[in-house]
Amino acid sequence: MKNLLRLIYKVFVPARCCSCGRIINDGEFLCDYCYEMLERTNTVKRCIRCGNRVKDCVCKYRVLHFDGVVSPFVNSGVASKVTYAFKFRGKMRGGEFLAENMALCVRENYSDIKLDCICYVPMAEIKLKRRGYNQCKILADRLGELLGLPVYDGLLTCINSDTNQHDIKNYGERFHNVTGRYSADDSAEFKRILLVDDITTSGATLNECAKQLLKHGACCVYCVTALFTERKNKTIGEKNDNRHRNRFRLFKNGNIFKFKGSSGTSERGNGGQ
């Protein structure tokens, strides 16, 4: 009887692509077209530390407390639809799909690292009650099963969530906003930790969590997220930093020293030297 009801249900409610809604075969998640349209990250062209494309690397502008961040997908198109459907609409099949690809990403990029455990970015209690689940915990639990690693619940705690990161566009402000937001406990001591989040935008949340884990004795922290948001523009702080360096840059051309400033280039001889 149950099999008959299941068959009737499949006939009247067929499986559909999580991205475009096309009817697909039972057991599939995306149609062939949407699967081909997934934009995957290329780790060969990325900084292994901050995760950005090499030309967008921010390691020289930021003090990073984690040792690396990898993601299977770029935050765009089909991958974004899948992730946001999972995150905000409870489409758990999306979480399964993302976790499987995150596990592959970890195996490919962290194969030479002996990880001890997994933890995840926590949610504020009020947000958790409103949504009903923490998508990062779901991803972490599935990753634990796929990678054979224990998941440490409660290793990180969210103690302050006054301003939502989603509302802040400036990268520098994102780092400032999460300062003091998380705390860790001493069970992180001597552990090599895999930190899980859903989306990397500026890396500020991962960085603050890693900072707290290291503060409580973790050996190192490596990160994995489902999506990575590509950088479009430099932050105001980075632009100011470049202008400052250019103003006082010294060029030597024979006996003439040229100082390149924001309003042009001035020349000065070497005087009595």
Side-chain angles (χ1 to χ4, degrees):
M1 186 63 180
K2 288 183 178 179
N3 292 334
L4 178 60
L5 291 174
R6 190 178 295 114
L7 179 61
I8 294 172
Y9 180 83
K10 289 179 181 179
V11 170
F12 289 99
V13 189
R16 293 184 177 275
C17 172
C18 189
S19 176
C20 68
R22 289 190 181 97
I23 295 176
I24 55 178
N25 294 328
D26 188 43
E28 293 182 350
F29 179 70
L30 294 171
C31 67
D32 292 340
Y33 175 79
C34 288
Y35 189 82
E36 290 299 322
M37 291 303 293
L38 284 167
E39 186 177 357
R40 298 180 182 273
T41 59
N42 184 350
T43 53
V44 175
K45 298 180 180 180
R46 292 180 177 273
C47 171
I48 193 63
R49 184 77 183 277
C50 68
N52 287 287
R53 292 169 296 192
V54 173
K55 67 184 183 70
D56 297 325
C57 177
V58 298
C59 293
K60 58 186 175 182
Y61 301 113
R62 300 289 179 196
V63 176
L64 299 178
H65 299 285
F66 51 79
D67 291 273
V69 55
V70 293
S71 311
F73 303 116
V74 174
N75 187 6
S76 66
V78 175
S80 292
K81 287 183 180 179
V82 171
T83 303
Y84 285 95
F86 162 59
K87 183 174 181 177
F88 296 113
R89 301 204 304 273
K91 303 294 184 180
M92 295 302 161
R93 284 200 306 156
E96 178 75 16
F97 174 79
L98 294 171
E100 289 174 356
N101 282 275
M102 290 165 72
L104 289 173
C105 204
V106 170
R107 291 192 184 104
E108 290 173 0
N109 294 279
Y110 298 152
S111 59
D112 58 338
I113 301 163
K114 184 174 175 55
L115 297 166
D116 296 311
C117 65
I118 297 174
C119 75
Y120 51 88
V121 174
M123 289 179 67
E125 195 67 30
I126 187 170
K127 291 182 181 178
L128 183 59
K129 289 180 179 178
R130 187 184 305 137
R131 186 174 300 172
Y133 61 93
N134 181 351
Q135 71 280 354
C136 297
K137 173 176 168 51
I138 294 172
L139 292 173
D141 287 341
R142 183 55 180 150
L143 277 170
E145 295 173 1
L146 295 169
L147 299 174
L149 293 171
V151 178
Y152 282 26
D153 291 313
L155 186 56
L156 285 165
T157 305
C158 182
I159 57 178
N160 177 22
S161 60
D162 293 338
T163 305
N164 199 323
Q165 283 287 84
H166 302 298
D167 301 328
I168 302 175
K169 303 304 180 183
N170 181 274
Y171 277 41
E173 291 178 8
R174 278 177 167 264
F175 277 82
H176 177 73
N177 184 56
V178 296
T179 301
R181 173 172 291 190
Y182 304 100
S183 65
D185 64 35
D186 293 335
S187 56
E189 194 171 15
F190 307 126
K191 298 290 193 305
R192 291 179 290 269
I193 299 173
L194 180 66
L195 176 60
V196 176
D197 200 0
D198 53 356
I199 303 172
T200 303
T201 302
S202 63
T205 298
L206 294 174
N207 202 47
E208 182 64 19
C209 289
K211 177 182 176 181
Q212 295 303 319
L213 291 169
L214 293 174
K215 184 178 178 181
H216 285 77
C219 293
C220 56
V221 179
Y222 290 86
C223 307
V224 61
T225 65
L227 305 183
F228 197 99
T229 305
E230 302 288 31
R231 291 167 60 82
K232 295 180 180 179
N233 298 301
K234 288 186 175 181
T235 66
I236 293 174
E238 291 165 4
K239 290 179 181 178
N240 288 340
D241 187 53
N242 282 338
R243 285 198 294 267
H244 178 78
R245 283 202 301 269
N246 288 336
R247 172 171 289 185
F248 297 102
R249 188 171 293 162
L250 182 65
F251 295 86
K252 188 174 182 180
N253 182 16
N255 293 327
I256 303 296
F257 291 89
K258 296 182 179 181
F259 294 88
K260 187 176 180 182
S262 58
S263 60
T265 302
S266 62
E267 297 186 0
R268 186 180 70 185
N270 61 0
Q273 296 179 358

